[in-house]
């Protein structure tokens, strides 16, 4: 089972009120402007630079499969 499959399965098993709480919390992560918010605003130029760097890394064989990346992030942040 992939990380996404496991997440969807977990969300489907939750009661509706718990799903709403999860959704509301996720929304606050993307809309809060507190210093602890990990999602800082980026300019269009920064986004395009990141995209260019990512494409170059993929061409150079430095990329990893998306599932491996998601599992690594999940372990790092205690989701797995």
């Amino acid at each position: 089972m992939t990380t996404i499959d496991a997440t969807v399965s977990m969300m489907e098993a939750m009661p509706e009120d718990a799903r709403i709480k999860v959704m509301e919390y996720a929304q606050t992560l993307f809309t809060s402007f507190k210093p602890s918010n990990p999602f800082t605003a980026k300019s269009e130029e920064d986004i395009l630079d990141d995209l260019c760097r990512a494409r170059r890394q993929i061409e150079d064989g430095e990329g990893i499969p998306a599932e491996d990346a998601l599992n690594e992030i999940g372990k790092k942040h205690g989701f797995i």
Side-chain angles (χ1 to χ4, degrees):
M1 178 179 283
T2 67
T3 303
I4 293 175
D5 291 335
T7 303
V8 170
S9 177
M10 178 183 67
M11 293 293 291
E12 288 175 341
M14 294 174 96
E16 180 67 18
D17 61 325
R19 280 196 298 261
I20 291 170
K21 287 179 183 177
V22 169
M23 183 187 71
E24 288 172 348
Y25 176 73
Q27 286 175 334
T28 64
L29 290 176
F30 289 98
T31 58
S32 74
F33 293 102
K34 297 180 281 189
S36 62
N37 182 355
F39 306 103
T40 57
K42 287 191 168 201
S43 69
E44 181 178 352
E45 182 179 349
D46 288 339
I47 293 169
L48 293 175
D49 286 345
D50 288 349
L51 179 59
C52 183
R53 186 171 46 254
R55 287 180 173 160
R56 205 170 30 249
Q57 288 172 335
I58 290 169
E59 288 173 2
D60 294 343
E62 297 176 19
I64 62 174
E67 186 170 345
D68 292 348
L70 290 172
N71 285 331
E72 184 178 313
I73 291 168
K75 288 175 186 171
K76 178 180 177 183
H77 295 284
F79 298 125
I80 298 176

